[in-house]
C-alpha cells in the first residue's frame, strides 16, 4: 500500500512531536524529571525560583574557587619544582598571605550564609494559608485529606496503566493556582518523605508527628514527585502527583470529590484493584 509524501510527512511530524514531548518531560505529562537532565526542574513556586537562583550563585562561586586553586597548583608545579628551584626557599611565615587565606574564605562563607538564611526562613515560615491539605504516607501510597473543604479523604496509588511511568496515579492531589497551600504531613507506619521538586518542598512524614510545609504554585499543570525516604520494599512505587487548576476548576472538583469519596471513603487501597505495586 503506497503512502503519499504529504501523509508520510505529517505522520513523521506527529511522531517527532510526540517524541519531543516524551523526552522533554514537561509537555505531555506535566513537570517531571527529563532524560539526561543536569539542571534542577523548572520552578513552579517562588520558593523554587529562589532555590534555583541560590544554586546558580553557588555554582559560580565554587567554579571560581576551583579554577583559582587549579591555577595555584599549576604555578607551584611549574615554578617551584626541583629543577627550577634547586635551592628551596626557607620562608616559614608571610603575614599578608596568612591574613588573606583566613579572611577571604570567611567573607565568602558570610556571603553564602546571608542568602542561605533568607531562603531557609522563606521555606520554614508558613504564611497564612488559603488551603490546608493533610498528607499521610503509608506503605506504599499516599492519603490526602482536605479539612477545609468538607473533611473528605482519599488514597493515591501508583497506576500501572497511566503515564508517565512510575509517576502516574489513580487519584491526584488537586490544588488551586496562586493560593498558599499548607501541607501537614505524617506517617502511618514508617518514615516517608513528601517531595515535589518543582515546588521546592521536601519534608519527612514521621509517625506520631505532624510536620508542616507550604507552597504557592504560580502555573497550572501536573507536577510530580516521589517519596524521598527509604521506607520499605515498594519505596520506589509511591509517586506524588499534584494537579494545579484554576479556582473554578478546583471548586468543581471539590464538589465532585465530596460525593465520590463520601460513597467510597479513604479505602481506595482495597478498591483499587491491585494498582499498587506489590
Amino acid at each position: 500500500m503506497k503512502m503519499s509524501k504529504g501523509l508520510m510527512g505529517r505522520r513523521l511530524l506527529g511522531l517527532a512531536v510526540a517524541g519531543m514531548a516524551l523526552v522533554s518531560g514537561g509537555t505531555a505529562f506535566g513537570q517531571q524529571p527529563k532524560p539526561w537532565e543536569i539542571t534542577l526542574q523548572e520552578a513552579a513556586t517562588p520558593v523554587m525560583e529562589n532555590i534555583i537562583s541560590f544554586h546558580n550563585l553557588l555554582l559560580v562561586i565554587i567554579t571560581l574557587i576551583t579554577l583559582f586553586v587549579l591555577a595555584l597548583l599549576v604555578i607551584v608545579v611549574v615554578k617551584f619544582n626541583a629543577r627550577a628551584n634547586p635551592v628551596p626557599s626557607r620562608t616559614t611565615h608571610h603575614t599578608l598571605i596568612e591574613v588573606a587565606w583566613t579572611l577571604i574564605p570567611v567573607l565568602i562563607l558570610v556571603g553564602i550564609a546571608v542568602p542561605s538564611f533568607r531562603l531557609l526562613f522563606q521555606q520554614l515560615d508558613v504564611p497564612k494559608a488559603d488551603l490546608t491539605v493533610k498528607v499521610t504516607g503509608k506503605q506504599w501510597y499516599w492519603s490526602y485529606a482536605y479539612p477545609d473543604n468538607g473533611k473528605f479523604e482519599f488514597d493515591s496509588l501508583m497506576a500501572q496503566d497511566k503515564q508517565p511511568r512510575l509517576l502516574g496515579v489513580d487519584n491526584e492531589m488537586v490544588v488551586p493556582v496562586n493560593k498558599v497551600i499548607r501541607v501537614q504531613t505524617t506517617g502511618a507506619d514508617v518514615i516517608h518523605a513528601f517531595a515535589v521538586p518543582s515546588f521546592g518542598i521536601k519534608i519527612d512524614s514521621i509517625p506520631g508527628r505532624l510536620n508542616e510545609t507550604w507552597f504557592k504554585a504560580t502555573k497550572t499543570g501536573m507536577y510530580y514527585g516521589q517519596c524521598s525516604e527509604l521506607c520499605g520494599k515498594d519505596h520506589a512505587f509511591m509517586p506524588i502527583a499534584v494537579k494545579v487548576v484554576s479556582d473554578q476548576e478546583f471548586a468543581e472538583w471539590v464538589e465532585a470529590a465530596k460525593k465520590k469519596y463520601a460513597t467510597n471513603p479513604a479505602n481506595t487501597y482495597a478498591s483499587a484493584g491491585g494498582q499498587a505495586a506489590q
Side-chain angles (χ1 to χ4, degrees):
M1 177 177 167
K2 294 184 179 180
M3 183 183 299
S4 68
K5 292 183 178 180
L7 180 57
M8 181 180 292
R10 287 194 296 272
R11 291 191 175 182
L12 290 175
L13 179 60
L15 288 173
V17 171
M20 290 173 63
L22 288 171
V23 172
S24 66
T27 303
F29 304 120
Q31 191 60 250
Q32 57 175 300
K34 303 173 185 177
W36 300 100
E37 187 172 34
I38 61 173
T39 60
L40 301 176
Q41 287 189 29
E42 182 181 349
T45 66
V47 170
M48 188 59 188
E49 290 175 358
N50 290 335
I51 290 175
I52 292 176
S53 297
F54 184 55
H55 166 269
N56 293 339
L57 172 65
L58 289 182
L59 184 61
V60 172
I61 292 174
I62 64 176
T63 300
L64 292 176
I65 291 174
T66 302
L67 293 176
F68 175 69
V69 172
L70 176 62
L72 291 181
L73 290 174
V74 171
I75 291 173
V76 169
V77 170
V78 172
K79 295 188 64 177
F80 300 99
N81 56 67
R83 183 183 303 172
N85 290 273
V87 181
S89 171
R90 297 185 180 276
T91 303
T92 57
H93 295 282
H94 192 292
T95 303
L96 180 60
I97 292 180
E98 292 182 1
V99 170
W101 72 39
T102 302
L103 188 59
I104 292 175
V106 170
L107 294 176
I108 293 174
L109 292 176
V110 170
I112 293 174
V114 171
S116 174
F117 291 154
R118 187 185 299 120
L119 180 58
L120 283 173
F121 181 79
Q122 183 184 21
Q123 290 177 302
L124 298 175
D125 183 36
V126 181
K128 183 179 179 181
D130 298 305
L131 174 68
T132 298
V133 181
K134 183 179 178 182
V135 181
T136 304
K138 301 177 180 178
Q139 291 181 315
W140 284 271
Y141 59 99
W142 297 94
S143 291
Y144 300 105
Y146 287 70
D148 298 338
N149 301 92
K151 299 181 180 180
F152 61 87
E153 184 176 355
F154 59 90
D155 295 336
S156 178
L157 293 84
M158 188 185 76
Q160 301 286 1
D161 58 343
K162 284 191 176 182
Q163 293 292 335
R165 180 177 176 271
L166 300 182
L167 292 177
V169 300
D170 54 355
N171 299 307
E172 299 92 358
M173 172 182 169
V174 181
V175 298
V177 70
N178 290 320
K179 293 292 190 293
V180 175
I181 311 300
R182 175 171 54 197
V183 176
Q184 295 180 331
T185 184
T186 186
D189 31 54
V190 297
I191 298 177
H192 302 276
F194 187 80
V196 184
S198 292
F199 295 164
I201 59 173
K202 179 180 181 295
I203 188 167
D204 284 342
S205 305
I206 303 174
R209 178 172 177 174
L210 196 65
N211 284 337
E212 190 173 81
T213 188
W214 72 282
F215 66 88
K216 182 180 179 181
T218 56
K219 295 178 287 188
T220 59
M222 187 72 76
Y223 300 90
Y224 294 100
Q226 289 177 302
C227 176
S228 297
E229 185 71 50
L230 293 175
C231 58
K233 71 181 184 69
D234 284 338
H235 158 71
F237 307 107
M238 51 182 302
I240 301 163
V242 182
K243 188 176 183 179
V244 182
V245 298
S246 65
D247 291 344
Q248 180 180 352
E249 290 175 310
F250 178 73
E252 294 172 354
W253 175 83
V254 167
E255 294 305 314
K258 287 179 182 178
K259 299 175 182 178
K260 177 180 179 180
Y261 301 117
T263 57
N264 185 23
N267 193 26
T268 55
Y269 186 89
S271 63
Q275 288 182 336
Q278 297 296 328

